[in-house]
Amino acid sequence: MENKEKTLGILPLAMFAIGTTLASGVYTLSGDFAASGAYTLATLIGWAICGVGMFGLTMCFFKLSVVKKELTSGIYTYAREGFGEYIGFNSAWGYWMSAILAQLSFITLLFGTLGSYSSLFGDGSNFFSCAVATVVIWVLSLLVLKGVNQAVIINTIVVIAKIIPIVVVVVAIILGGAFSWDTFTQNFGGTGELSLMEQVKGTVYTTVWIFIGIEGAVVISGRGRNTKIAGQATIISFTSLFALYFLISFLSMGVLPAEELAALENPSLGGVLEAVVGPWGATLVNLAVIISVGGAMFSYTILCVDSAFGPAECGAFPEILAKKNKYGAPTWAVIITALIIQVFIVIIYFNDATFQACYALSTSAIMVPYVFSAFYYLKVVAKGEDKEFEGGKRFLPWLFAIIGSVYGVWLLYASGVTYIFVATLLYAPGTLMYLYHRKKTGKKMFDSTIDVVVCIALVIAAIAAIVMTANGTIIWF
């Protein structure tokens, strides 16, 4: 990156990261923890694990953006550089699927929220919602095909729309005296239906979902005036987001007991505010969700396309996905992405998929690139490739690398067998693209025995998942 581009200070960098990461999850986390079976103690433990682990993972992303700044094609390049072409491909495929499924989650939340005002939209997954979503997706794709990639005004409105109801909730609960310590401590450890460990594991998908985007946000830190400023901005953005998320969750648990939080409709933050100030509180949050998620859908249309275009440009995906039209837009990356989203919209309709189910799948898909990014940074630190950037300091690099890697393992463990099998159904089709691309480019199918073993294990797991899906043992949505 040219030095003339390195002009951003701490505040602009931090605000960019916050604006990129702060999305739909903030409006539903109040009820999502309770709905997963987590009571107060488990939720607090889950936040503690998330705070330490996600911070370590965030710093892995930041350190890699400094040490390996030549790897500019997305976080999946870390998996490729560290563990070979096939693992790198799967990381790229997973990131693409995660972005697409995130778009699906926005669709279900947006139209589910609209359903509060018109029965036509139902719960966000009925025929009318899916039909309107289809039109919206193809209109957004058409805009991208026409080269519309800037949305400064939209993003500004969206950020404001996100912040206002959140501030109102916090202020109303604190100043209105709505927080009750007795409510907060009611059934503090749970009712005994789930063990404490099972409750804590139930918090994983929500905590990861609300931080999705932080990996892309830290990349912009390369535009900071220097590495110190970029690092400070990364820390500020993460801690600000964590404090905000934790505060909303903490206060919500003191307003309504876990059973009532779990029963709230999306967006649950509206239900919390309604309990504090009345019906207009829910209306305020619903309006914010409609504006915020609507804007996020445009941003994620671009992200979904970039998640296909980037790997194609660096040779991981078929080159057709990198071909651009006269407007500079990658034509087939846009079209194929839209078609995949369309397929998932149909699946949503026939399965009555919820917002939470969609984002759980999105989170499952992104765990692979997250985990291998942390492992790659651990490998970089172990080989001492970061020494010239760290000035001889070794404690913090090792600390971040170990925390990020351990957190990655925890994510896989806490996901549970069901979602791991579901994830294989998302990943297995990608191998067909991988093999096709390798054959077309004249390369041997796999570069190592490890790649063959991973492929076989993935296919076997996917077949098992299909069988279990058919007999109802596991359910996608």
Side-chain angles (χ1 to χ4, degrees), residues 29-94:
L29 64 84
S30 298
D32 287 353
F33 287 121
S36 71
Y39 283 77
T40 308
L41 177 58
T43 300
L44 294 176
I45 294 173
W47 275 121
I49 294 173
C50 170
V52 175
M54 190 58 75
F55 178 71
L57 188 58
T58 299
M59 292 308 296
C60 287
F61 293 138
F62 169 69
K63 293 292 186 179
L64 284 171
S65 73
V66 174
V67 178
K68 298 292 182 179
K69 53 181 175 291
E70 70 277 8
L71 301 179
T72 59
S73 297
I75 66 170
Y76 44 81
T77 56
Y78 299 147
R80 184 190 64 186
E81 289 295 313
F83 307 99
E85 292 289 340
Y86 183 60
I87 299 298
F89 171 86
N90 277 290
S91 188
W93 177 269

Side-chain angles (χ1 to χ4, degrees), residues 190-386:
T191 61
E193 294 182 6
L194 291 175
S195 68
L196 181 60
M197 176 59 75
E198 289 300 314
Q199 292 181 53
V200 173
K201 287 164 63 177
T203 67
V204 164
Y205 284 98
T206 299
T207 54
V208 175
W209 167 248
I210 59 179
F211 277 106
I212 285 181
I214 196 71
E215 76 287 342
V218 298
V219 174
I220 198 68
S221 63
R223 296 191 181 186
R225 284 196 286 268
N226 54 55
T227 302
K228 182 179 180 180
I229 285 178
Q232 290 173 340
T234 300
I235 293 172
I236 290 172
S237 61
F238 176 83
T239 53
S240 298
L241 285 165
F242 181 81
L244 177 64
Y245 292 148
F246 178 78
L247 186 60
I248 291 174
S249 176
F250 182 89
L251 293 175
S252 297
M253 290 186 293
V255 173
L256 295 171
E259 291 79 9
E260 293 185 31
L261 286 174
L264 292 175
E265 295 182 354
N266 290 327
S268 55
L269 186 63
V272 174
L273 189 55
E274 182 176 8
V276 177
V277 301
W280 72 266
T283 300
L284 175 64
V285 173
N286 287 342
L287 182 60
V289 169
I290 293 169
I291 297 173
S292 177
V293 175
M297 286 180 66
F298 177 82
S299 299
Y300 260 78
T301 299
I302 297 172
L303 176 60
C304 290
V305 172
D306 286 346
S307 298
F309 171 74
E313 196 174 39
C314 68
F317 285 1
E319 62 180 14
I320 190 174
L321 294 174
K323 290 184 177 180
K324 298 181 179 180
N325 61 18
K326 63 181 180 181
Y327 299 106
T331 304
W332 285 104
V334 174
I335 294 174
I336 293 176
T337 295
L339 287 172
I340 295 175
I341 294 176
Q342 183 66 71
V343 170
F344 275 112
I345 288 176
V346 174
I347 294 174
I348 281 179
Y349 169 68
F350 284 106
N351 290 272
D352 295 322
T354 64
F355 165 69
Q356 283 79 7
C358 290
Y359 84 58
L361 290 174
S362 176
T363 302
S364 294
I366 208 170
M367 284 185 183
V368 169
Y370 273 9
V371 169
F372 280 104
S373 293
F375 287 172
Y376 179 52
Y377 182 58
L378 181 62
K379 187 176 181 179
V380 166
V381 172
K383 294 172 67 175
E385 296 177 6
D386 63 326

Side-chain angles (χ1 to χ4, degrees), residues 109 168 213 329 362-363 413 422 436:
L109 180 59
V168 170
S362 176
T363 302
Y413 165 72
V422 168
Y436 165 79

Side-chain angles (χ1 to χ4, degrees), residues 96 123 221:
W96 189 23
D123 61 356
S221 63

Side-chain angles (χ1 to χ4, degrees), residues 81-265:
E81 289 295 313
F83 307 99
E85 292 289 340
Y86 183 60
I87 299 298
F89 171 86
N90 277 290
S91 188
W93 177 269
Y95 197 75
W96 189 23
M97 291 300 104
S98 177
I100 287 173
L101 287 162
Q103 187 75 298
L104 269 292
S105 70
F106 295 145
I107 288 172
T108 54
L109 180 59
L110 175 61
F111 292 111
T113 303
L114 289 172
S116 301
Y117 303 99
S118 174
S119 59
L120 284 173
F121 293 99
D123 61 356
S125 61
N126 64 0
F127 179 81
F128 185 76
S129 293
C130 290
V132 176
T134 295
V135 173
V136 171
I137 288 299
W138 285 101
V139 168
L140 291 175
S141 299
L142 180 61
L143 289 174
V144 175
L145 281 173
K146 293 292 185 179
V148 181
N149 289 305
Q150 300 298 325
V152 176
I153 296 178
I154 293 177
N155 287 335
T156 301
I157 295 174
V158 167
V159 170
I160 294 173
K162 291 174 184 176
I163 294 175
I164 289 177
I166 295 170
V167 172
V168 170
V169 170
V170 173
V171 172
I173 293 175
I174 295 176
L175 297 185
F179 182 87
S180 167
W181 186 253
D182 290 337
T183 299
F184 183 79
T185 56
Q186 182 179 343
N187 290 329
F188 191 74
T191 61
E193 294 182 6
L194 291 175
S195 68
L196 181 60
M197 176 59 75
E198 289 300 314
Q199 292 181 53
V200 173
K201 287 164 63 177
T203 67
V204 164
Y205 284 98
T206 299
T207 54
V208 175
W209 167 248
I210 59 179
F211 277 106
I212 285 181
I214 196 71
E215 76 287 342
V218 298
V219 174
I220 198 68
S221 63
R223 296 191 181 186
R225 284 196 286 268
N226 54 55
T227 302
K228 182 179 180 180
I229 285 178
Q232 290 173 340
T234 300
I235 293 172
I236 290 172
S237 61
F238 176 83
T239 53
S240 298
L241 285 165
F242 181 81
L244 177 64
Y245 292 148
F246 178 78
L247 186 60
I248 291 174
S249 176
F250 182 89
L251 293 175
S252 297
M253 290 186 293
V255 173
L256 295 171
E259 291 79 9
E260 293 185 31
L261 286 174
L264 292 175
E265 295 182 354

